[in-house]
Amino acid sequence: MIAVAKLSVIVTITAKPGQREALMAAFDDVFGHVTGEGGTEQYVLHRSTTNPDVCFMTELYTDQAAFDAHSGSEAFAALTGKLGALVDAVDLQLAEPVKAVGVDL
């Protein structure tokens, strides 16, 4: 049997000036959806301690299909609709996790 690689998503989100708190609040509904999503192992929103306009999102999925299901969900579509007015820039990176503590890879 071939092992299916897990997928990590690392996103840097730069809010429009003064919009970081609103940006973080925009994630509330999608977090409720993610708790029932199969294949989403971690979904963490971080705020920068050095730049008041920057947040980071780290996500871990069992595989590409789980990420695709999350990205194609109605909850994710609603989130992206909310973020349009709050975000200046987004940098999304997909990665294969290779070492971790507290997570089975």
Side-chain angles (χ1 to χ4, degrees):
M1 175 180 257
I2 297 173
V4 176
K6 292 192 181 191
L7 179 69
S8 292
V9 179
I10 304 113
V11 187
T12 302
I13 308 166
T14 304
K16 292 181 179 177
Q19 294 299 313
R20 184 177 73 179
E21 296 301 318
L23 182 148
M24 290 189 307
F27 277 86
D28 289 349
D29 290 339
V30 80
F31 266 82
H33 172 78
V34 166
T35 58
E37 220 173 43
T40 302
E41 295 187 7
Q42 290 186 345
Y43 201 75
V44 183
L45 180 62
H46 313 261
R47 66 175 160 220
S48 173
T49 59
T50 60
N51 184 333
D53 296 324
V54 173
C55 289
F56 305 98
M57 191 71 183
T58 57
E59 307 166 32
L60 180 63
Y61 297 93
T62 55
D63 55 25
Q64 181 71 46
F67 172 66
D68 292 344
H70 168 74
S71 299
S73 71
E74 290 180 21
F76 186 77
L79 170 64
T80 57
K82 292 177 188 175
L83 294 180
L86 304 172
V87 172
D88 262 348
V90 174
D91 177 57
L92 182 139
Q93 300 293 320
L94 301 179
E96 181 180 349
V98 293
K99 293 185 182 193
V101 173
V103 176
D104 291 330
L105 300 178

